[in-house]
Amino acid sequence: MTKPIWLLYFIALPAALAQTPPPAQLETVQVGLVRDPAAMPYERMNTMLQGLKKYGQGLIVMDFKLGPKTFAAQPAPKLAVAHEEGYLPIKVDAEGRFELPLLPPEQAKGAELASNIPRGAAEMQGRIRLTTPPDQLSMATVRRIMGIARTLRSELLPWYARWLFPQIQGVRVCSAEPKWELEWRDEQGQLLGLPLAAEPKDRDPDAPRDKPSPPCTTLTGAEPWPDAARLLAPADARLSVRLTSSRAQ
């Protein structure tokens, strides 16, 4: 299976890194600055995160996660952003998820990720995440998300950050049972319902790669249904973005 397009980059810690004494808040971490030329400069990542915060309208955020290869290494992974004024610790949860901090533009210049992860064991994944709960999704929200995504990619993000923000094809809904429906009232007040069909080739991005995916369906916003049409789905339903490239499924 090819790698998803939303894998932003892999950080490989090169050999013979200069070790920097950790500050008080990172007492248990032996910090080495990441100077791998394959890693993106933090300033560029910071610019993209600023664009998402400013123009994403709170609907689209970026989710980061350390891969299983990193957690298999010892000691427990710790991250920080190193800049001229010191280190800014990054909290990593039990599942490896974390948020990259937003820095002032001047502070982001020259900033780098610091880590205690052994050489060759570090991998980091970044993925677009939607903040709307499934029970609050409507066709109006789908169209709003799609509009934001197009604008971010084509107009608001700098050219060097656009490849980080892939083209979104639609909003994907996945659950253990394919019991999804759109519901709305017509002009006469009559309640209408429309079942949504599962798409066999679609896949839940959260499903383990070695296991079958639960059923999924996608709303693109181009459907002829009214903005008021709301999603009715099982309690275990999850939302994600479906990307144009098949590599992202």
Side-chain angles (χ1 to χ4, degrees), residues 8-232:
L8 298 182
Y9 56 90
F10 290 87
I11 304 173
L13 297 181
L17 285 179
Q19 297 298 314
T20 305
Q25 64 267 34
L26 293 176
E27 291 180 354
T28 61
V29 184
Q30 187 177 10
V31 178
L33 296 183
V34 177
R35 300 184 183 275
D36 188 340
M40 174 179 297
Y42 197 83
E43 182 180 9
R44 291 191 175 185
M45 180 65 69
N46 195 70
T47 300
M48 188 194 66
L49 294 175
Q50 285 180 326
L52 281 175
K53 181 178 180 179
K54 185 175 181 180
Y55 302 108
Q57 300 182 28
L59 295 176
I60 300 176
V61 297
M62 189 68 76
D63 181 66
F64 295 93
K65 185 177 181 180
L66 294 174
K69 180 180 178 182
T70 302
F71 273 86
Q74 294 295 329
K78 295 184 181 295
L79 297 172
V81 174
H83 53 85
E84 291 183 355
E85 299 179 12
Y87 289 92
L88 184 61
I90 298 174
K91 183 178 180 180
V92 181
D93 70 16
E95 296 182 352
R97 298 186 185 278
F98 60 94
E99 295 182 4
L100 290 178
L102 273 175
L103 301 179
E106 289 301 317
Q107 197 177 77
K109 293 180 179 180
E112 298 176 283
L113 282 175
S115 173
N116 68 335
I117 302 171
R119 181 178 181 271
E123 61 179 10
M124 184 172 74
Q125 303 170 354
R127 187 179 64 189
I128 299 167
R129 181 170 61 84
L130 302 176
T131 61
T132 303
D135 61 358
Q136 296 181 22
L137 185 70
S138 66
M139 288 304 303
T141 305
V142 172
R143 290 169 181 138
R144 186 179 168 194
I145 290 170
M146 296 300 293
I148 291 171
R150 287 190 294 268
T151 302
L152 278 169
R153 182 176 171 85
S154 63
E155 299 178 22
L156 302 179
L157 291 178
W159 64 267
Y160 55 76
R162 290 175 188 169
W163 72 272
L164 289 171
F165 199 87
Q167 295 180 352
I168 295 177
Q169 185 177 358
V171 176
R172 178 196 287 113
V173 186
C174 300
S175 58
E177 296 293 333
K179 297 179 180 179
W180 319 294
E181 185 176 350
L182 287 177
E183 183 180 87
W184 71 94
R185 292 188 181 276
D186 63 12
E187 295 178 355
Q188 289 72 42
Q190 182 179 0
L191 187 64
L192 303 178
L194 177 71
L196 301 176
E199 300 181 25
K201 295 184 178 181
D202 207 348
R203 182 175 178 83
D204 185 346
D206 289 326
R209 295 186 182 183
D210 58 346
K211 295 182 180 180
S213 169
C216 300
T217 191
T218 297
L219 297 169
T220 67
E223 296 86 357
W225 311 313
D227 284 351
R230 302 186 67 85
L231 176 69
L232 301 179

